[in-house]
Amino acid sequence: MFNTTEWNRLRYNVYAPFYDAVVARAFRKPRRIALGQVDWEPGMRVLLVGAGTGLDLPFLPHDIELHATDIAPAMVKRAAKRAEALRRDVECEVMDAEALSYPDEHFDAVIMHLIIAVMPDPQQGLAEAHRVLKPGGQLCVMDKFQPDEHPAGQGRRLLNQLTSALATDITRQAQPLLTEAGFQIRHDEPVLMSGLFRALLAYKPVPSKH
């Protein structure tokens, strides 16, 4: 299995110089739609997980506390440069999405764009997002997903061995992953390629008082 943390760090360091040329324009509108679903408030503490080169930064409010992480140092370096160019105060750090070094219940919102289909263990990555979110906190997801009602067939699973090594997994299902991690989905919208890419807004439920 090629999809490991070390392999992702290596390949995204290699992809970094031309990542924007491939990805930026195609995902500009999906990013804007996904981030438009979030209930923004001044002073929110927000975490960008798998921030890449920082392509989400232009679509984020300026009156928030913003942290950005990625597994690949070359990506983090470019995200920091983009933040500086945009005159944004962003804490950019190299970090594994499946082992975040933040305390429990630290963020008001977590953004995961084009990373759930890349992580070796998406359930662990979502468990970490759930852990660092405050109760009632929001999770903003935009990624490619297999339809929730149709698990991937044998042909797609075979093709996935190649695509997951070079690009992303093509068999993951959004609602089962988010629900199993403890999130409740508030919004789910197709944003690209006839619904292959979807933007979802979920939240971490507030514990009921007995």
Side-chain angles (χ1 to χ4, degrees):
M1 186 68 178
F2 245 120
N3 191 5
T4 65
T5 298
E6 285 305 317
W7 173 243
N8 282 340
R9 180 182 288 113
L10 173 64
R11 69 188 177 102
Y12 278 98
N13 275 328
V14 172
Y15 296 165
F18 51 89
Y19 184 82
D20 288 3
V22 175
V23 171
R25 179 175 293 181
F27 288 98
R28 189 176 292 135
K29 185 176 180 181
R31 289 179 195 277
R32 188 183 291 115
I33 292 171
L35 294 169
Q37 295 176 358
V38 178
D39 296 322
W40 298 108
E41 293 182 13
M44 289 174 70
R45 183 182 290 147
V46 178
L47 174 63
L48 275 170
V49 180
T53 61
L55 291 172
D56 288 306
L57 295 181
F59 310 116
L60 289 162
H62 280 260
D63 54 357
I64 58 175
E65 177 186 327
L66 191 54
H67 301 253
T69 68
D70 199 275
I71 194 69
M75 290 288 198
V76 173
K77 185 175 181 180
R78 288 175 180 270
K81 284 186 176 180
R82 176 168 270 118
E84 185 178 355
L86 293 170
R87 298 184 179 180
R88 298 294 303 257
D89 184 14
V90 185
E91 285 286 330
C92 298
E93 295 189 58
V94 177
M95 199 177 299
D96 184 355
E98 296 176 16
L100 298 173
S101 61
Y102 298 106
D104 295 354
E105 300 182 2
H106 192 62
F107 292 98
D108 299 291
V110 172
I111 298 163
M112 301 179 81
H113 287 175
L114 304 178
I115 180 174
I116 291 177
V118 172
M119 288 186 287
D121 185 350
Q123 206 62 63
Q124 176 59 28
L126 285 166
E128 279 292 271
H130 190 276
R131 180 184 67 78
V132 302
L133 267 176
K134 297 175 182 178
Q138 300 170 86
L139 175 69
C140 178
V141 169
M142 187 272 289
D143 218 320
K144 68 174 70 60
F145 293 108
Q146 173 77 8
D148 296 318
E149 63 276 12
H150 298 299
Q154 184 178 2
R156 193 179 182 95
R157 290 198 302 271
L158 284 171
L159 179 60
N160 187 61
Q161 294 182 23
L162 175 64
T163 63
S164 62
L166 299 178
T168 65
D169 195 293
I170 57 172
T171 66
R172 294 176 181 171
Q173 295 172 289
Q175 294 199 21
L177 281 169
L178 295 182
T179 302
E180 189 176 331
F183 291 102
Q184 294 186 14
I185 297 171
R186 183 177 293 165
H187 195 73
D188 184 350
E189 181 176 345
V191 291
L192 194 66
M193 295 178 68
S194 301
L196 175 62
F197 288 86
R198 288 152 61 191
L200 298 97
L201 182 69
Y203 67 96
K204 178 178 178 177
V206 177
S208 57
K209 296 180 180 179
H210 296 288

